Amino acid sequence: MTWSDWKWQLQNRITNLADLEGKISLTEEERDCFAQAYEQFQFAVTPYYLARLDQNNPNCPIRKQILPRSGELVRRPNEIDDPLAEETYMPVKGVTHRYPDRAIWYISHVCAVYCRFCTRKRKVSLPEETPNRNEWEKALEYFRTQTKLREVILSGGDPLTLSDSSLDYLLGELKQIPHLNHIRIHTRHPVTMPMRLTESLNSVFSKYFPIYMVTHFNHPNEISEETKFYVMRMIKEGHISVFNQSVLLAGINDDAKILSDLNYKLISIGIKPYYLHQCDEVFGSSDFVVPMEKGIEIYRKLRGYHSGITIPSYVKDLTGGGGKVLLSPNYLQKKTEKGYLFQNYLGDEYEVGH
Ligand code: SF4
């Protein structure tokens, strides 16, 4: 096995402080809060993604996404375990079905890299939470009975952690459900371990056209020559349509130039920028949150100044499970003591804390 083998990358992930210190030098803050942060949310990074980190830059955008910092140990009053209420709308284990026409299916709780701002850190990195084969069958049976369902979104963790044969089986079963219009896959492996996009995986994808993939690039430094090679080959061989969602992250990409560089780079390798997310109100996210006013100002500098196809929609997923609202001055309903009051697509009101 070698560097370009995704299984080697997974098996050689750095997952503890001693091994990490053998690779890079940590700041006092990073070393001090590692153990406590690890208790709440594990640490892991692939050799590939760690190699993207600039050791000489304490503000390296890759470093800030993967190394615990002191803000992660703080739980602010508005921060909760499950900000999008995904566990509330769970008819069978591993499936969130909130909207009639689409459902999210968490088929793996393992990721190549654990992002410190993860919305699902309540369960991601805990393999025992991952649905087993028996639970897959229950979920598939549920999808077969839900005739209003048009889309299933494979998510996680990272669904591409599963083997090609497991993915082949699941995609094949889903494709046989007549009321499903299409399948979507949410994955960060193209960012953290692009060698996962093997020719054999592309052959699986090509059997089930159309498949829509949503990746999660946050910064232009995450797009390497390897990313370009594997993503472009997957698009051509797997006949897959690829979109990207980014999270607006303080000190990482809260800058119009960085975002426009990212979005142009994505378009150049065949990925359409889809969403720019306001960071969710998950516990320990204070180091990452960009105030909404600043986010709107940044967004104003993107739309109009740059090609329309490079522009994602700037959205807030409402805490409590109200769905996404577009963030623009027109959508800010009212400033309150705690933050802002929004109306969702049903006219329901939600208060958002930052
Ligand atoms: S890859 Fe996605 S699910 Fe996994 S830790 Fe990062 S944000 Fe969370």
Side-chain angles (χ1 to χ4, degrees), residues 41 109-121 124-125 155-158 187-189 192 216 247:
F41 185 41
H109 286 177
V110 176
C111 302
V113 168
Y114 292 123
C115 318
R116 307 318 299 177
F117 48 85
C118 178
T119 299
R120 298 191 185 126
K121 58 206 250 199
V124 161
S125 87
S155 188
D158 204 305
T187 173
R188 204 164 192 236
H189 280 357
T192 55
H216 182 174
V247 183

